[in-house]
Amino acid sequence: MQKKTILTCAVSGNAPFNAKHPDFPVTPAEIARNCIEAAKAGASVVHIHVRDPQTRLGSRDPALFREVVDRVRASDVDIVINLTAGHGAFFLPDPQDESRGLPGSDMLPALERVKHLADCLPEIASLDITTGNQEEGPVQFVYLNTTRTLRQMAREFQQLGVKPELEVFSAGDILFGNQLVEEGLITGAPLFQMVLGVKWAAPATVETVLYQRGLMAAGAHWAAFGIGRQQMPMVAQAALLGGNVRVGLEDNLYLSRGVFATNAQLVERAVRIIEDVGLSVATPAEAREQLGLRRGANTR
């Protein structure tokens, strides 16, 4: 029997977005509403960032995470909750002296980066096991995650009973993920997620998926997603290759050229693609079973 495809919706992200979008979720209430709507549209998992309601920029305030999670848990939907732990790794070098970070840099020690996980106890949280050059519009920065910090974070995930979603941007990241498994820092089968199409990282192609899948530790779960216009093509490609998938406004704002999407619409389209190629989407309960999640981590 072929396994079902786990469909994640990443509802808001951390990066600046097109202010012309008529309903991009910013406040905790809006983000929670989008999580609930994605669940009702057929998502298995919601991946959650939070934003400062005043500036609309990404935030790492634990109180905002807690409000979103509490709202989702108090709703009438069942959904696997996946929180980001990717903040606190933003290094903005001074162009005149790259040994110094500009005031916009945001670097945190490992314990600070998981503080909201200890408070909310999600079932899954992202662990970005990468360091690389990135760009957001005119801003050039280094997404900086040392192996020391990542090992510390992995230990904290274990102690909290939160499954890490190992976010990988290139082949070498997968090799480090395998190393975490060998060192006993990952409990159960590892869960890798390929981030594809980010500038200066792995391209969103079938060749990339096949190569990187082949590098993963035996028995690993995996997913892949594309950025922007590659989002839906990668849904079909990853699902057909036996992987799990992700859609959502974090990665793509549009249904088609010039037509803004909602998270629910992106989930509905992904469900249709998966079913049209003869597969089916996992319910949250089925996703928990596949990934070996601790159901108790989602309740307080």
Side-chain angles (χ1 to χ4, degrees), residues 196-216:
L196 304 174
V198 173
K199 195 172 185 178
W200 316 134
T205 65
V206 171
E207 290 81 5
T208 300
V209 174
L210 290 171
Y211 173 62
Q212 293 192 153
R213 183 185 66 174
L215 296 175
M216 294 176 185

Side-chain angles (χ1 to χ4, degrees), residues 35-206:
C35 290
I36 294 165
E37 290 172 354
K40 290 181 177 179
S44 321
V45 180
V46 284
H47 177 63
I48 300 171
H49 290 252
V50 295
R51 291 176 177 267
D52 183 302
Q54 278 69 52
T55 67
R56 310 183 86 191
L57 299 175
S59 173
R60 50 181 171 79
D61 184 347
L64 294 175
F65 278 103
R66 184 58 185 270
E67 183 177 348
V68 173
V69 171
D70 283 351
R71 286 175 177 270
V72 174
R73 287 177 174 154
S75 72
D76 60 350
V77 303
D78 181 28
I79 192 72
V80 176
I81 291 177
N82 174 339
L83 299 186
T84 182
H87 46 258
F90 183 88
F91 183 68
L92 193 60
D94 185 336
Q96 305 305 315
D97 178 4
E98 291 197 337
S99 68
R100 299 189 306 112
L102 292 174
S105 298
D106 184 33
M107 298 296 299
L108 292 174
L111 289 179
E112 287 294 311
R113 292 180 66 178
V114 300
K115 182 181 292 186
H116 63 302
L117 304 186
D119 184 42
C120 296
L121 291 180
E123 293 170 90
I124 305 174
S126 60
L127 183 58
D128 297 65
I129 54 174
T130 191
T131 287
N133 292 297
Q134 293 195 13
E135 297 183 12
E136 289 178 359
V139 179
Q140 299 182 14
F141 62 98
V142 179
Y143 190 45
L144 181 56
N145 296 284
T146 69
T147 55
R148 289 185 297 274
T149 292
L150 292 170
R151 284 185 169 95
Q152 288 179 298
M153 291 177 70
R155 292 187 188 97
E156 292 299 318
F157 276 54
Q158 278 189 321
Q159 292 178 11
L160 293 170
V162 175
K163 189 172 190 68
E165 181 180 63
L166 302 174
E167 305 281 321
V168 295
F169 291 68
S170 64
D173 300 341
I174 295 172
L175 300 183
F176 179 64
N178 293 342
Q179 183 64 29
L180 292 178
V181 174
E182 291 180 15
E183 293 175 11
L185 294 174
I186 305 296
T187 300
L191 169 60
F192 287 93
Q193 178 156 261
M194 302 182 212
V195 183
L196 304 174
V198 173
K199 195 172 185 178
W200 316 134
T205 65
V206 171

Side-chain angles (χ1 to χ4, degrees), residues 11 23-37 56 68 71 263:
V11 298
D23 191 27
F24 190 93
V26 172
T27 68
E30 292 167 349
I31 294 170
R33 171 175 57 80
N34 273 252
C35 290
I36 294 165
E37 290 172 354
R56 310 183 86 191
V68 173
R71 286 175 177 270
N263 279 299

Side-chain angles (χ1 to χ4, degrees), residues 18-23 228-229 249 252-262 265-266 269:
N18 188 337
K20 294 180 180 179
H21 193 289
D23 191 27
R229 68 183 66 181
L249 295 180
N252 165 47
L253 297 179
Y254 301 95
L255 273 178
S256 58
R257 187 176 181 85
V259 179
F260 287 115
T262 67
Q265 288 172 329
L266 293 172
R269 179 167 291 182

Side-chain angles (χ1 to χ4, degrees), residues 274-288:
I274 292 166
E275 292 179 345
D276 282 349
V277 298
L279 302 172
S280 57
V281 177
T283 66
E286 290 166 336
R288 292 185 184 100

